[in-house]
Every structure is written in C-alpha cells, then in structure tokens.
Amino acid sequence: MRRALVSLCTVVAAVTTGCADGGGGGGDGRAQQDPRPRPPALTWQQELRVADAQQRLTRQCMNRQGFTYREDRGLTLQESRPVRYVQDDVAWARTHGYGGRIEAKSLRVHERNPNGTYRQSLSATRRAAFDTALDGGDDAKTLRAPLPVGGEIRKRLGGCTEEAERTLYGDPATWFRTSKTVSGLNALYGEKLMKDRQLTSAVEAWARCMKQAGQPYKDPQAAREAVRVRTGRLGEARADEAFAAERKTAVADATCARETSLRAVATARETYYLDRLRDRFGKDIDTHRHLGQRAYDRAVRIVPERD
C-alpha cells in the first residue's frame, strides 16, 4: 500500500511532517513549563514544495554544466498526500481509497525515470562527468549522523545536490544530522506509544466502529493489509472491483477515525512521548525545524505549489 505505515503518523512523523500540529498531550513538567517558543514542524505540503525546489535547483545547476536534468512532478498535490496510520479525510478516501492507484502511478513514473535514461545514453566519459556534476563523484564529502539508538548513518554529498541543499538549508551537514536524529526517535518510544492505554482504547473504539460498518479489523494497519492482499488476489483483470473495495474500506476507516477522534488521541500521545525526550534531543528537534522552515521560506520563491 502507498506509504501504509505500521505506526502512527509514521510513529514519529509528527516531528518531521507536522502530523501532530497543535496536538498537546501533556508532557513532563519541564516540557510543559518551558517558555521558549518552539518552531512548528513542516506540513507534508510544505515538505513537498521544499523537495520540488531542490529538484529545480539541481536542474538549474546541471543545465549550467551542460547536462539535461528532468524534475519529477508526476503526481498532483493531492496525489502526493501521504497516507498515515490515522487517515481521517473521508473525501480523499472516497476518491483515492488508500492511494493504491496513486502508488502504481508513482511506480510507473519512476520506472520511466528520464534522468536514468538520459544518463545511460551518454558516453562513458560523459556519464562519469554527469555523476560528478550531480553528486560530486569520488571527491564528494562524507556526512555522518549518529542515531539515537547508537551507531551512525553516512551520506556522500557533493556537486549540484550539495549546491541545492546548501541554497535551501544553509548547512547541509547539520540538516542531515538533525534529520537522522529526528527520524530515529521513534525507536526510543515507538513500542511504548503503540501500547499506550489511551491510544489502544481509541483504536479499540475505532475497531468497534469499523465492525459496525462491516469492516472487522483490529486496527488501521490491519485494514490496509487486508486491502493489499485482496487487491493482489483479484489481480489486473478485476482491478476495478479491487479499487471499489479499497475505497469502501478506506472510507469506513476515515469515518471511524473521525467519529472516535483517533487522530487527536494519537497526536496527543505522540506529543507526550516526544516531550519526554526533549532534555536529550530538544535542541536537535528545534534546529531541524528551524532549518526546515528556512528551506520552505526559500522554496516558495523558487517553485509554485503543485496543482
């Protein structure tokens, strides 16, 4: 399924995508009493615009160096919407289900990747020059980011990719480091979150609602997995039937999520666990959000929002 996730709001997507916008949950005393304003996380629409701006900057840089580079804007704004653990937009579900057809469309776009095709059409010498222009080649620097649970992740960065990131974020190394810190926080509290009594009670209420709607699933992930299996079993010959069933389940899911306030509960409990980590990771979280906001402020001057 398209970005179907085992955790709520990607279990810690609230940190990075704004899925928990405005949801207070009552953290520890210190977190609640901290008077300093906290920068908001970017919404998924804002994150998409930053990604589009990075593509635009990369294309312009590659063009200056004599290469063709195509931007990927194959999906509309609404088609690009991520489907999280709690999906309560009934109208979107009625049109797109869980996004199964969008995922298929996205895969087709990536399979026809014009940049890969263009690169393969170049001579060996020009291909090497293309790679160097794009990401720095052998001279690219290596960025390192420690993970909250230990260990580190590395990334090579150079060329037009580095230029684009520097234009947007100012400091690509800090952006990389804080991004990996933030995206790795779920490993510290994800299991507790999914067992949280307030959350499990809300999920149980959702399940009762779904059963009454003829959709007997224990949680949103189970509903989406059942849809995925059904779609695969029916195959291409019965694709329309499979999509109709997908939409029916997705609409019931979103309707029950609204009726049980599942997203509000999920957001509040996510915020609670995240706040408990602020003594250790608050600076990285805020730095990540500051850099993200800086990138978005610059992105709006580079590319329009998708239609």
Side-chain angles (χ1 to χ4, degrees), residues 89-243:
D89 188 327
V90 178
W92 195 93
R94 189 171 290 117
T95 300
H96 300 292
Y98 288 121
R101 288 189 167 179
I102 297 173
E103 178 67 17
K105 176 181 176 180
S106 180
L107 288 174
R108 290 193 298 271
V109 169
H110 286 291
E111 287 171 356
R112 298 194 300 265
N113 181 1
N115 292 319
T117 301
Y118 170 74
R119 179 183 178 277
Q120 287 302 118
S121 73
L122 301 174
S123 66
T125 300
R126 286 289 287 166
R127 195 178 306 142
F130 178 93
D131 293 342
T132 298
L134 181 60
D135 60 21
D138 293 337
D139 294 329
K141 66 186 70 175
T142 299
L143 304 182
R144 292 177 169 81
L147 299 175
V149 293
E152 70 174 14
I153 189 167
R154 302 179 183 183
K155 169 185 172 180
R156 291 175 60 82
L157 184 66
C160 290
T161 302
E162 179 179 11
E163 179 180 308
E165 288 194 15
R166 193 170 299 282
T167 299
L168 289 169
Y169 301 107
D171 184 350
T174 299
W175 170 251
F176 176 67
R177 179 183 59 78
T178 58
S179 293
K180 296 310 174 184
T181 295
V182 164
S183 63
L185 290 177
N186 68 302
L188 299 180
Y189 69 80
E191 186 174 351
K192 290 181 180 179
L193 175 62
M194 296 308 290
K195 294 179 180 179
D196 181 273
R197 187 56 197 156
Q198 292 184 43
L199 176 60
T200 58
S201 294
V203 172
E204 289 166 2
W206 173 93
R208 289 193 295 272
C209 175
M210 287 288 281
K211 186 176 182 179
Q212 292 173 0
Q215 303 282 342
Y217 301 110
K218 65 177 183 179
D219 57 40
Q221 186 62 26
R224 293 168 203 188
E225 179 62 18
V227 166
R228 185 193 67 79
V229 171
R230 185 191 306 122
T231 299
R233 186 177 65 248
L234 292 176
E236 285 297 322
R238 300 171 67 184
D240 289 343
E241 179 184 344
F243 186 55

Side-chain angles (χ1 to χ4, degrees), residues 254-265:
T255 300
C256 287
R258 280 188 173 272
E259 291 182 359
T260 60
S261 300
L262 181 57
R263 187 164 77 152
V265 175

Side-chain angles (χ1 to χ4, degrees), residues 46-76:
Q46 291 172 325
E47 285 191 330
L48 180 64
R49 196 163 182 181
V50 171
D52 286 346
Q54 184 168 334
Q55 289 194 78
R56 177 67 53 84
L57 292 168
T58 300
R59 176 180 66 79
Q60 292 171 345
C61 176
M62 292 294 285
N63 290 168
R64 290 197 304 271
Q65 299 193 49
F67 295 103
T68 297
Y69 189 87
R70 300 286 181 85
E71 300 172 38
D72 178 8
R73 294 172 68 95
L75 300 181
T76 67

Side-chain angles (χ1 to χ4, degrees), residues 9-10 12-19 41-43 47 179 182-183 288-289:
C9 294
T10 68
V12 51
V15 180
T16 57
T17 65
C19 116
L42 296 184
T43 64
E47 285 191 330
S179 293
V182 164
S183 63
H288 179 260
R289 292 182 176 185

